[in-house]
Amino acid sequence: MKTKPINILSDKIDFNPSVVAIGFFDGVHLGHMELITQMVVYSKKLNLNSIIFTFDKSPKQVLNQDFDGYITTTEEKFELLSELGADNICYIPFTRDFASLTKENFVKEILINKLNSKSVFVGFNFCFGIGRSGNPDNLKTELNKYDCNCHIIESVKSDEGSVISSSAIRQIIRNGNIIQANKLLGRKLSFTGNVVHGDHRATSMGFPTANLLLENSQKCLPPNGVYACYVDTAVGTFPSIVNIGYRPTFNKTTYLLEAHLCNFEGDLYGKEIRVRFLKAMRPEIKFPSMGALIAQIEKDRQSIMDLEEIKD
């Protein structure tokens, strides 16, 4: 059963003594999974309640710092966290008032008084308190005042030896290296949205598409281009050709994700779909004619259906 997130400011809470994992956890990547897994295992060993504690928004976005988008929306993040075996997922709305808490008050008011922490797990680069003034060593010192211990989890590294981090994954996504991003996430990069009407030009070409608006998305997206994907719908999962961009062949200006679901027949308008990226196929280019575009889409479709992952 998936764990429902608890807002510790508005929901009624009364936790038993708990082991807590703290982080923003954007992307819920392999490094985050390792931290949370260690926390859950430790809590079960001591027969204590386990809590994942996070925030609803990026601190950088709220504080007008160098915010560079989300790998996962808040809803996507909660869904992924709910699959990691913790007894509770708790969050606090990240505001400027919350960001102004001192290191000491963060520990006392949040970790001790609200979450009833007896042990806390954080990553090696965790920061907390006003101006990000607190580090893991400071946290350990403060927690010791309340007979609460602190576990500092070292970095998890990729096969190439680089530290797995949300910021590194965002850059990899922007570079269009979908395969590497998926490897570090431990799953496929995805985008979820409700299908909107387009100009139906793709349907007239014989390749109907499900369109998702990207104009106001705060997600970190790969470059404009064509991608091999899976699209999950209420009636099943379909291999798909996905174009991200502005459809330059037709001089369009709306930023869209267009997904042609192979072997799908039906109406998806207004319905939620999830696009899961497999690999980049080619950049978005302007074709000299509709016929040239149709011919290329036929090639793209065949290339996707020939992928070993699709055939399996």
Side-chain angles (χ1 to χ4, degrees):
M1 182 180 295
K2 292 184 177 180
T3 307
K4 182 180 178 181
I6 298 169
N7 182 334
I8 67 170
L9 294 186
S10 62
D11 295 338
K12 184 178 180 180
I13 55 175
D14 184 17
F15 290 120
N16 292 326
S18 299
V19 183
V20 180
I22 312 173
F24 181 56
F25 301 128
D26 183 30
V28 195
H29 56 60
L30 292 178
H32 298 148
M33 293 181 199
E34 176 63 22
L35 187 156
I36 292 168
T37 297
Q38 288 195 34
M39 181 274 291
V40 171
V41 169
Y42 185 82
S43 70
K44 290 181 178 177
K45 182 178 178 181
L46 298 184
N47 197 28
L48 294 175
N49 184 53
S50 57
I51 298 175
I52 299 171
F53 177 58
T54 188
F55 316 111
D56 67 334
K57 297 183 183 68
S58 166
K60 289 184 177 181
Q61 182 185 21
V62 174
L63 300 176
N64 297 322
Q65 297 173 347
D66 294 327
F67 175 62
D68 52 357
Y70 294 104
I71 302 170
T72 47
T73 63
T74 303
E75 293 76 18
E76 290 168 343
K77 180 174 74 172
F78 285 156
E79 181 176 358
L80 291 165
L81 291 175
S82 73
E83 298 170 354
L84 298 181
D87 296 314
N88 304 102
I89 298 171
C90 296
Y91 71 97
I92 193 167
F94 196 94
T95 63
R96 287 182 174 273
D97 284 343
F98 175 72
S100 69
L101 278 179
T102 63
K103 299 189 296 287
E104 296 79 8
N105 284 342
F106 173 78
V107 170
K108 180 181 179 181
E109 295 178 15
I110 304 298
L111 299 184
I112 303 303
N113 291 348
K114 285 193 174 292
L115 300 181
N116 199 5
S117 303
K118 299 304 175 186
S119 187
V120 173
F121 282 67
V122 294
F124 69 100
N125 57 353
F126 177 70
C127 295
F128 69 106
I130 186 169
R132 294 169 56 86
S133 56
N135 59 37
D137 289 334
N138 300 145
L139 181 63
K140 181 177 289 189
T141 298
E142 286 301 313
L143 288 171
N144 283 342
K145 297 177 182 178
Y146 303 95
D147 294 323
C148 179
N149 59 36
C150 182
H151 300 258
I152 302 170
I153 307 304
E154 294 304 316
S155 62
V156 175
K157 296 184 178 179
S158 67
D159 293 341
E160 295 77 24
S162 59
V163 174
I164 299 175
S165 68
S166 298
S167 57
I169 293 172
R170 290 187 203 101
Q171 189 57 54
I172 290 168
I173 293 169
R174 288 198 178 87
N175 291 342
N177 192 341
I178 302 301
I179 293 174
Q180 180 67 3
N182 289 349
K183 185 185 297 185
L184 302 186
L185 287 170
R187 67 177 182 284
K188 292 174 178 60
L189 176 71
S190 65
F191 187 92
T192 301
N194 291 318
V195 176
V196 300
H197 284 276
D199 56 16
H200 301 282
R201 189 184 296 270
T203 300
S204 68
M205 293 166 56
F207 295 96
T209 59
N211 301 323
L212 304 180
L213 287 174
L214 301 179
E215 295 287 354
N216 298 315
S217 174
Q218 295 179 329
K219 290 282 290 276
C220 178
L221 294 168
N224 291 355
V226 176
Y227 297 87
C229 298
Y230 283 124
V231 173
D232 302 321
T233 75
V235 294
T237 296
F238 299 87
S240 302
I241 306 165
V242 168
N243 184 82
I244 291 178
Y246 295 93
R247 298 167 292 166
T249 300
F250 305 110
N251 299 313
K252 297 298 181 178
T253 58
T254 303
Y255 191 32
L256 279 181
L257 183 155
E258 292 183 294
H260 169 65
L261 284 62
C262 302
N263 304 322
F264 172 81
E265 294 182 6
D267 182 358
L268 293 173
Y269 293 119
K271 297 177 182 177
E272 183 178 273
I273 63 172
R274 180 176 64 173
V275 178
R276 293 184 288 133
F277 292 83
L278 299 176
K279 63 177 291 186
M281 302 293 288
R282 60 177 174 83
E284 183 182 48
I285 59 175
K286 184 170 183 175
F287 288 88
S289 66
M290 183 183 294
L293 174 59
I294 291 172
Q296 182 59 58
I297 295 174
E298 289 280 9
K299 292 179 183 178
D300 293 337
R301 188 182 190 281
Q302 190 58 53
S303 295
I304 289 171
M305 298 307 293
D306 286 342
L307 290 176
E308 289 301 321
E309 184 168 355
I310 298 293
K311 289 194 293 186
D312 291 344

